[in-house]
Amino acid sequence: MTRILSRKHFLGAAALAATTLLLPTWAQAQAGGYPARPIRLVVPFAPGGNTDILARMVGQGLTESLGQPVVVDNVSGANGSIGASRVATSAADGYTLLFGTAGTQAINQSLYKNLSEKNLDDYEYVAMVTSIPNVLVVSDSKGAPKTVAELAASEKGRREGLNYGSPGTGSTVHLSGELFKTATKLNLVHVPYKGSSLALTDLLGGQIDFIFENVTPALPFIQGGKLRALAVTSAERIPVLPNVPTMKELGYANFVTATWNGVLAPKGTPAAIVKRLEEATLKVAASPEFKERVTALGGEVKPLAGPAFRDFARSEYRHWGAIIKDAGVPRQ
């Protein structure tokens, strides 16, 4: 028997059907016209550094994928927290993004008094793209240590200990040195600089003894015979330095440190826009050309979608927090 709907039921069913049909249309509308103007990608460090180089590579790829210019804006200071905070308080419309790092998303929350674990939730995690380990380097001068064991032995008999440099307090370079200090119980003195170039210049000049530098800025000096690489902090050896052992190989258990990068948006950015950005970012990471360029810089392409990126950042927060606590690094 055919059921005849009343006018009331008919109108209700029609309204429900219309609403159901409109749901995907509404979601698509959120991102359908996006992006309609240039996108600002904030790099929370100075131009020319490791993060800046990678951000410009990603920005170029996003420009091609999204059809709008992605303009890199360098906002440096406080180990990246100034630029990161500026993005967190920007309009959640997908037009201001952060090229986040281990510093901005994992270290600073344990290092700066005005930040906490809660600040990890100030963002929508779009996608992670790269990871670059550090390399322990010394000057390649006559008499310089040839191994990590020789470097450690050179501390004996030196009342002032060994000096190690970094591009700034709270960087993965600084904290790798602190991890080395904790593991060896050596007398090591941290000498912070304003950037990698100044630290590397003093290492070449003999003013400091060693540095756990990011591979990217150190690589030209290693390949040019000016710096000697003693170990890398990756889990496995890296293609650009195949003959350099890892710290783990040398008996330093759990000595795996790296800086990493990913794209983030302000909290509350519409899900459809975040998804569009995630797809575009992962497309960049999957490009053979991008992989080739990152590998040449000493890094690894490590694509993670939004939820996995968020979980990884939280695990890194715990990892670096433990290093900071064990080393007794004071909050800034």
Side-chain angles (χ1 to χ4, degrees):
M1 180 181 293
T2 303
R3 183 181 178 186
I4 301 175
L5 294 175
S6 68
R7 177 179 175 82
K8 178 180 179 181
H9 285 107
F10 176 81
L11 290 176
L16 178 61
T19 301
T20 303
L21 290 171
L22 284 172
L23 283 175
T25 304
W26 176 81
Q28 291 166 3
Q30 286 188 294
Y34 173 85
R37 62 178 189 272
I39 297 169
R40 177 182 174 223
L41 180 61
V42 173
V43 174
F45 295 97
N50 181 61
T51 302
D52 181 66
I53 293 170
L54 291 168
R56 293 179 188 279
M57 290 166 55
V58 171
Q60 179 183 352
L62 289 177
T63 295
E64 295 169 358
S65 181
L66 296 172
Q68 285 286 350
V70 175
V71 181
V72 170
D73 184 8
N74 297 90
V75 183
S76 60
N79 198 37
S81 62
I82 293 177
S85 296
R86 190 166 298 181
V87 172
T89 56
S90 295
D93 56 9
Y95 289 99
T96 301
L97 307 175
L98 173 67
F99 198 64
T101 69
T104 64
Q105 305 309 126
I107 294 174
N108 292 348
Q109 291 75 17
S110 296
L111 190 66
Y112 289 95
K113 295 177 181 177
N114 62 327
L115 295 176
S116 71
E117 184 179 2
K118 291 181 180 179
N119 293 103
L120 294 172
D121 295 323
D122 288 342
Y123 309 90
E124 302 292 346
Y125 289 75
V126 174
M128 180 171 158
V129 285
T130 58
S131 177
I132 297 183
N134 297 323
V135 57
L136 172 52
V137 288
V138 297
S139 173
D140 198 18
S141 58
K142 185 177 181 180
K146 292 183 172 63
T147 65
V148 175
E150 286 186 11
L151 174 65
S154 70
E155 182 264 352
K156 291 186 169 87
R158 290 181 55 171
R159 183 179 300 177
E160 71 280 7
L162 298 176
N163 297 319
Y164 76 94
S166 83
T169 299
S171 61
T172 64
V173 175
H174 164 218
L175 296 178
S176 293
E178 292 296 319
L179 180 58
F180 187 51
K181 181 179 180 179
T182 301
T184 60
K185 310 301 182 187
L186 294 173
N187 179 18
L188 305 180
V189 180
H190 175 224
V191 182
Y193 290 83
K194 292 183 178 180
S196 291
S197 61
L198 294 176
L200 290 171
T201 297
D202 270 10
L203 179 61
L204 291 168
Q207 280 73 43
I208 55 177
D209 297 297
F210 70 94
I211 184 172
F212 277 93
E213 183 56 272
N214 295 150
V215 172
T216 303
L219 192 58
F221 296 99
I222 297 170
Q223 294 173 332
K226 294 182 178 181
L227 291 179
R228 183 179 299 164
L230 304 185
V232 290
T233 65
S234 48
E236 299 176 352
R237 296 194 184 197
I238 60 177
V240 291
L241 297 172
N243 298 320
V244 179
T246 67
M247 291 294 287
K248 288 184 68 176
E249 282 182 67
L250 299 176
Y252 295 92
N254 303 317
F255 203 121
V256 177
T257 63
T259 187
W260 41 264
N261 302 97
V263 177
L264 302 101
K267 186 70 175 179
T269 300
I273 290 178
V274 173
K275 188 64 177 178
R276 179 87 184 274
L277 288 168
E278 177 190 80
E279 292 171 350
T281 304
L282 293 177
K283 181 180 178 181
V284 173
S287 161
E289 181 185 2
F290 182 77
K291 290 183 178 180
E292 182 179 348
R293 293 175 68 186
V294 171
T295 301
L297 292 171
E300 171 192 7
V301 175
K302 191 173 182 179
L304 292 177
F309 180 23
R310 182 184 61 244
D311 292 343
F312 175 79
R314 287 193 173 278
S315 70
E316 283 284 280
Y317 163 73
R318 294 188 292 271
H319 171 69
W320 288 109
I323 292 174
I324 290 169
K325 181 179 179 181
D326 292 344
V329 179
R331 289 180 75 90
Q332 306 295 306

